[in-house]
Amino acid sequence: METAIAVLLDGLTFSSYLFIVSLGLTIIFGVMKVLNLAHGGFYAWGAYSAAFLIGRAANAGWPDWSGFVIIFASALAVGIVMGLVIELGILRFLHDREEALVVLATFGILLMLEDGIMAVFGTDPFFAHQPMSALGHVDIGGIARDVYGLTMIALAFAVAVLAWLAFKRTRYGKLLSAVIYDREIALAFGIDVRRLFVLTFVAGAALGALGGAYVAPTTSVVPGLGMEVIVVSFAVVVIGGMGSIPGALVGALIVGLVRALAVHKFPELELFVIYAVMALVLIFRKEGLFAPAKPRRI
Amino acid sequence: MSPAIEVIGVAKAFGTVVAAADLNVAVASGEIVGIVGANGAGKTVFVNMITGYEKPTAGRILFHGQDITPLPPREITQLGICRSFQVSQVFTSMTVFENMLVALSINRNRGLRMLRDIRQAPLAREAEELLGRFGLAAQRDRLARELPQGMRKLLDIAMALAARPRVLMLDEPTSGISSEEKFEFMSVVMGALAEGNVTVLIVEHDMDIIQRFVSRVLAFSQGRIICDAPPAEALSNAEVIQYVLGTDHAVA
Amino acid sequence: MAHRDHTLRWLALASFLLVVIACFVPGWLLNQMLFASARGLAVLGLLVLWRAGLVSLGGALFFGLGAYSVALLQRMAGITDALLLLALAAGISGLSGFVLGFLLRRYRGIFFAMMNLAFSMILYGAAVKNRALGSTDGFGVAQPSFFGITFAEPADAKLALFAVLVVAGYAVMCCVHWYWKSTLGWLGAAVRDNEIRVEYLGYSVERVIHVKYTLSAVLGGLGGAFLAMGLGQVDPDSMINWVASGEMLFVMILSGSASVAAPFVGSFLFELLRTYALEVAPLAWQFIIGATLVLLILFAPNGVWSIFARLFGRAAAR
């Protein structure tokens, strides 16, 4: 029983940050039709920035809760700066290229971002535990759990609700739906597609960075973080259906729980199990669970 | 002699939308039939069902007596029914000549012959000849994606002919072509077809084209055939005028 | 307007020269050439798929399968003859590709890529989890014999292996070159351009993809087999891991699709780049690869070969 609760809670925690990260990935794909592997880089930079600044803040004697402010601030900063640089500097020139080539280009950007981290932050691990320690523990089903992990679940929930509201209720959201459905027609209607692209990319990048920043206090932040997360987020987005927000939610839940199970039962085979599940989903639903409907071709 | 195409009790529904309801039609070999109807009347669905892209929810379709209802498009093509498309489907990264070559070689080179070099003399000659019949010889080395609309449509139809069909279905062949050029375009097409005794079904919106080139008209409205008659009769039929032509555009 | 195709003659000449050169170069360079050529075979397989508009993120699946087949055949069936090992490894890979092809031919775009990745991960998991297969350390491959001759000097055996590789590579290049000129080869480009048109001309798109998938599996397996024998060992991390697949894709982009010889040239460039970069700036290795990838895609999407072709004014073969 204890294991079941542990698996469930672990699974939900994994699902939470996976959802936040994958949401960014799927939005970027839905709007720009770009499968942005560099997303792993945003996650990593978010994590490192947050960890580094929290460490500095702690040394300077700032209170523990300041870590939370730092987390959100870093995520925003990374999202804006990197999002703008990459979209305006590189991706802008690749919009009419073949899908596969663009994906490979974003993979190249990911490699650069990962190496950039080592250049800026060095190769030693960071462990910025202050926000997590500040919240203490709570007892669930006989196991002591970090309250921090629970707040992550709450954060994911909040992000999901906000995303839904933004998409369905705001003007920006409606413009996005138009562009997602048909970019050319949206252009013909006078929608500033370019600006939407930049806004979306920055928002997506910020989400990726947020995932990393929020996770940072719970783990030791080491090089290779970005690669690790992108391989899993990729699977989440494919399982859920690319460009689908409910898909990202369901995909994240499935992968998070599967991963928790794998970590408890077959530790080395995490990735293998996740990808086996993905293959299984794709066998039954060729384009993922919530793939958008396609218009008639002829 | 069994009719070339026989449609028996065919119906097609997309959920609650009825795209076709109880269609019964027989087309004899060598006939040239026009298919008219307002947008959404079910003309393209009709063509799609005969060519296997969609499956009817009820009824059967026979080709010279053979039931082709469950067959996929490629098998129906092999049996001898080909089509052109509203939006021309060509191989965009290849030249016009290469498009023709590929179309011909798929049809002529089967089995182990598929491993032979594609640029062989007889096939190349046939490609040139077919391009010539459609007036595309001068565009031979141009990339298909750079062709203007009219020539793309001609290429599309020419490729459909590569498979030596007995029945050819043209889906809005003159759409996107300017009014002055439509007649010339259709003359080229029908002239190229004349040699093969091909049964032709043409989906068209332009009634002048219909009057000039077909011998029989099937008028569609809301998934049903409301009139099946020679052009003069069909185009002065009251229902056709009401549901297809619009009362302002009655053709005398 | 018949044009004479001299490609195969040039390739024959180049291959001959390559073997001659191999006799005189130092051991480390021969190794580079060996590994590069082995990988080049696998990349050629990826190129066959690329021409049909498909990218596989799991090239390492068949590469690893070929490598491990050699190692296992040696250990369990006691087969030592190089040619027999190669034939069997290629056969096993090809058969696996044929079987898997029934499933994978239904997918396109990113889903095709991911399904391949998934299966390569599954193989990776199986190799890593399996003690008998040496887990992450892998295990050794003994020097093979050639037509019954076992060389006393490892250097001679390497040379013999390279010679076999060059001959096999030449044969493969000829086959693929002819294949690309045939109807079935052209169908790849046709499928990439317009699947609906192909079906409406009377041919099954899935069958086209299936054939290409099987072919790429054979080539991948052959490459892996050569690498196993050349390296003297097999291990999952350098052969089945998704990083290996990524490297193959990088080489494919670097080489471009213009010619059957391109993957080998690209692969060799990659080996040089890797050795040089690791020596000069080991921590910046990822950055260099990443930047090169982005620059290539931005400015030379047809690969390094197209730059060659432009420089020498020769039209790239289709």
Side-chain angles (χ1 to χ4, degrees):
Chain A
M1 192 55 203
E2 277 187 11
T3 332
I5 296 185
V7 168
L8 187 63
L9 286 173
D10 274 345
L12 283 176
T13 317
F14 285 144
S15 304
S16 304
Y17 77 79
L18 265 181
F19 169 65
I20 297 173
V21 174
S22 306
L23 182 63
L25 196 58
T26 214
I27 290 178
I28 292 177
F29 181 81
V31 174
M32 301 165 73
K33 302 292 181 274
V34 169
L35 193 40
N36 175 37
L37 291 186
H39 207 68
F42 301 144
Y43 176 88
W45 275 85
Y48 266 91
S49 306
F52 177 74
L53 289 173
I54 290 176
R56 280 304 177 88
N59 288 346
W62 290 20
D64 278 349
W65 60 259
S66 67
F68 286 97
V69 177
I70 292 178
I71 286 174
F72 286 97
S74 332
L76 210 54
V78 168
I80 293 178
V81 172
M82 297 214 152
L84 284 175
V85 166
I86 291 175
E87 219 301 293
L88 296 174
I90 303 178
L91 285 185
R92 175 157 65 120
F93 303 107
L94 294 173
H95 279 313
D96 48 350
R97 295 297 186 84
E98 239 175 295
E99 199 179 89
L101 279 181
V102 179
V103 174
L104 285 173
T106 62
F107 182 67
I109 299 175
L110 172 65
L111 289 175
M112 290 198 283
L113 288 176
E114 286 269 278
D115 238 29
I117 282 181
M118 289 202 281
V120 171
F121 295 103
T123 48
D124 294 324
F126 280 77
F127 193 29
H129 59 90
Q130 285 79 358
M132 187 165 81
S133 320
L135 291 180
H137 305 276
V138 82
D139 200 326
I140 299 187
I143 324 173
R145 306 291 309 196
D146 299 302
V147 175
Y148 192 80
L150 298 174
T151 60
M152 194 158 10
I153 300 178
L155 178 66
F157 187 71
V159 167
V161 169
L162 279 172
W164 184 83
L165 281 174
F167 204 68
K168 297 275 183 199
R169 297 287 159 86
T170 66
R171 188 167 161 272
Y172 171 64
K174 301 218 169 97
L175 291 176
L176 267 189
S177 318
V179 172
I180 290 178
Y181 193 70
D182 193 316
R183 188 194 302 184
E184 267 184 78
I185 302 221
L187 263 174
F189 270 93
I191 295 179
D192 190 343
V193 173
R194 275 260 78 240
R195 197 156 66 106
L196 262 177
F197 274 11
V198 175
L199 274 170
T200 308
F201 196 75
V202 168
L207 281 169
L210 181 61
Y214 212 83
V215 164
T218 68
T219 176
S220 81
V221 176
V222 292
L225 209 58
M227 290 280 197
E228 257 184 60
V229 93
I230 196 65
V231 173
V232 182
S233 300
F234 209 18
V236 168
V237 162
V238 169
I239 288 177
M242 308 213 293
S244 157
I245 296 178
L249 191 58
V250 173
L253 274 168
I254 294 177
V255 172
L257 288 166
V258 164
R259 187 180 182 200
L261 256 174
V263 164
H264 281 258
K265 299 281 180 173
F266 342 93
E268 302 142 349
L269 296 185
E270 241 183 78
L271 272 183
F272 160 43
V273 170
I274 291 175
Y275 271 77
V277 167
M278 184 197 80
L280 220 62
V281 169
L282 283 182
I283 288 176
F284 292 106
R285 301 282 245 123
K286 268 180 16 176
E287 302 211 334
L289 293 172
F290 292 84
K294 293 223 180 104
R296 199 179 85 179
R297 268 202 69 179
I298 53 171
Chain B
M1 223 214 359
S2 60
I5 301 244
E6 227 181 315
V7 172
I8 304 172
V10 161
K12 175 73 177 175
F14 293 100
T16 49
V17 174
V18 173
D22 196 32
L23 299 174
N24 289 285
V25 155
V27 177
S29 267
E31 273 197 87
I32 302 187
V33 181
I35 299 175
V36 303
N39 286 322
K43 310 184 298 296
T44 299
V45 171
F46 180 66
V47 172
N48 283 352
M49 285 194 288
I50 294 178
T51 53
Y53 190 69
E54 287 176 271
K55 300 284 168 248
T57 39
R60 293 186 307 148
I61 302 173
L62 305 180
F63 175 60
H64 287 291
Q66 182 183 352
D67 190 347
I68 59 170
T69 331
L71 300 181
R74 67 170 168 277
E75 283 186 49
I76 292 182
T77 302
Q78 285 171 33
L79 286 174
I81 304 179
C82 293
R83 71 172 288 182
S84 75
F85 300 83
Q86 261 182 293
V87 178
S88 346
Q89 303 292 324
V90 297
F91 300 124
T92 42
S93 73
M94 302 184 199
T95 66
V96 169
F97 178 67
E98 286 163 353
N99 265 268
M100 211 56 236
L101 206 55
V102 170
L104 283 168
S105 61
I106 291 178
N107 190 257
R108 309 278 189 273
N109 292 339
R110 285 279 161 163
L112 282 178
R113 285 213 299 265
M114 290 210 119
L115 295 172
R116 269 209 262 151
D117 192 324
I118 206 177
R119 290 180 195 267
Q120 285 169 317
L123 223 49
R125 269 199 301 271
E126 208 181 328
E128 305 269 12
E129 192 260 333
L130 207 46
L131 287 179
R133 262 200 270 165
F134 278 85
L136 289 171
Q139 309 299 323
R140 179 188 190 285
D141 292 319
R142 213 162 154 189
L143 285 181
R145 64 164 158 256
E146 290 169 12
L147 285 179
Q149 170 79 312
M151 293 190 178
R152 249 175 113 133
K153 294 221 137 196
L154 282 173
L155 181 59
D156 191 27
I157 300 173
M159 284 168 75
L161 265 196
R164 291 194 280 221
R166 288 192 280 175
V167 172
L168 182 63
M169 310 196 67
L170 303 176
D171 195 351
E172 296 196 33
T174 66
S175 78
I177 299 183
S178 68
S179 324
E180 309 96 63
E181 295 174 323
K182 283 195 192 215
F183 271 104
E184 203 194 307
F185 178 90
M186 280 309 286
S187 303
V188 169
V189 172
M190 299 310 278
L193 292 176
E195 327 191 358
N197 190 33
V198 184
T199 313
V200 187
L201 287 90
I202 312 177
V203 174
E204 247 310 332
H205 280 297
D206 190 321
M207 296 310 157
D208 296 327
I209 299 283
I210 291 287
Q211 280 188 303
R212 170 83 175 78
F213 291 102
V214 312
S215 56
R216 177 180 168 198
V217 169
L218 294 172
F220 277 73
S221 175
Q222 296 182 320
R224 288 172 195 280
I225 298 176
I226 56 174
C227 181
D228 179 355
E233 203 189 305
L235 295 177
S236 44
N237 175 294
E239 271 191 79
V240 173
I241 294 178
Q242 180 177 6
Y243 292 112
V244 178
L245 302 175
T247 39
D248 295 341
H249 304 279
V251 178
Chain C
M1 204 187 94
H3 62 181
R4 297 223 156 266
D5 183 15
H6 293 294
T7 316
L8 295 180
R9 289 189 214 182
W10 284 111
L11 286 179
L13 185 61
S15 306
F16 178 71
L17 285 175
L18 210 55
V19 177
V20 169
I21 292 174
C23 298
F24 298 104
V25 297
W28 64 267
L29 188 55
L30 180 60
N31 273 337
Q32 299 281 53
M33 289 159 76
L34 196 56
F35 303 153
S37 307
R39 209 167 269 122
L41 276 172
V43 174
L44 188 57
L46 285 185
L47 210 53
V48 168
L49 283 173
W50 175 239
R51 280 211 170 195
L54 294 168
V55 175
S56 163
L57 281 175
L61 171 62
F62 299 108
F63 194 68
L65 200 55
Y68 270 76
S69 298
V70 164
L72 287 171
L73 283 169
Q74 232 189 32
R75 173 178 284 201
M76 296 188 180
I79 302 177
T80 54
D81 184 60
L83 292 160
L84 190 55
L85 283 171
L86 287 169
L88 286 174
I92 292 174
S93 289
L95 191 61
S96 312
F98 181 69
V99 170
L100 208 53
F102 281 103
L103 175 65
L104 292 183
R105 66 190 196 177
R106 305 189 301 147
Y107 300 89
R108 303 289 182 276
I110 199 68
F111 302 99
F112 180 81
M114 290 297 268
M115 281 298 263
N116 273 288
L117 181 59
F119 280 97
S120 78
M121 293 258 198
I122 290 172
L123 185 68
Y124 181 76
V128 162
K129 199 62 178 163
N130 208 312
R131 287 299 155 66
L133 294 175
S135 295
T136 41
D137 297 321
F139 59 102
V141 174
Q143 191 180 302
S145 60
F146 300 85
F147 299 113
I149 311 172
T150 313
F151 291 95
E153 286 284 323
D156 290 339
K158 278 270 168 71
L159 198 54
L161 187 64
F162 187 69
V164 173
L165 178 48
V166 170
V167 170
Y170 178 69
V172 162
M173 284 195 283
C174 287
C175 290
V176 175
H177 188 74
W178 277 325
Y179 175 73
W180 278 346
K181 294 207 298 180
S182 73
T183 305
L184 204 49
W186 274 83
L187 273 176
V191 162
R192 181 193 63 209
D193 277 356
N194 199 323
E195 283 191 30
I196 289 184
R197 228 317 154 214
V198 174
E199 291 277 339
Y200 269 97
L201 283 170
Y203 204 76
S204 161
V205 166
E206 284 194 359
R207 189 188 295 187
V208 173
I209 293 178
H210 200 168
V211 169
K212 292 191 186 292
Y213 192 73
T214 310
L215 185 56
S216 97
V218 170
L219 289 173
L222 202 56
F226 273 113
L227 188 64
M229 288 194 278
L231 204 52
Q233 71 148 49
V234 292
D235 74 274
D237 280 316
S238 66
M239 294 174 183
I240 319 181
N241 201 354
W242 62 272
V243 174
S245 298
E247 284 180 357
M248 284 181 212
L249 274 182
F250 178 73
V251 173
M252 188 184 84
I253 301 283
L254 185 64
S255 324
S257 61
S259 157
V260 278
F264 296 97
V265 174
S267 188
F268 187 62
L269 280 174
F270 177 70
E271 287 288 328
L272 284 180
L273 183 64
R274 190 193 355 220
T275 317
Y276 181 71
L278 279 177
E279 262 184 50
V280 168
L283 283 179
W285 164 240
Q286 273 189 324
F287 189 88
I288 294 176
I289 295 278
T292 312
L293 199 51
V294 174
L295 287 171
L296 274 174
I297 291 177
L298 275 174
F299 300 114
N302 283 321
V304 167
W305 192 265
S306 66
I307 301 180
F308 272 152
R310 261 182 281 162
L311 283 177
F312 295 109
R314 210 186 292 147
R318 203 174 257 283

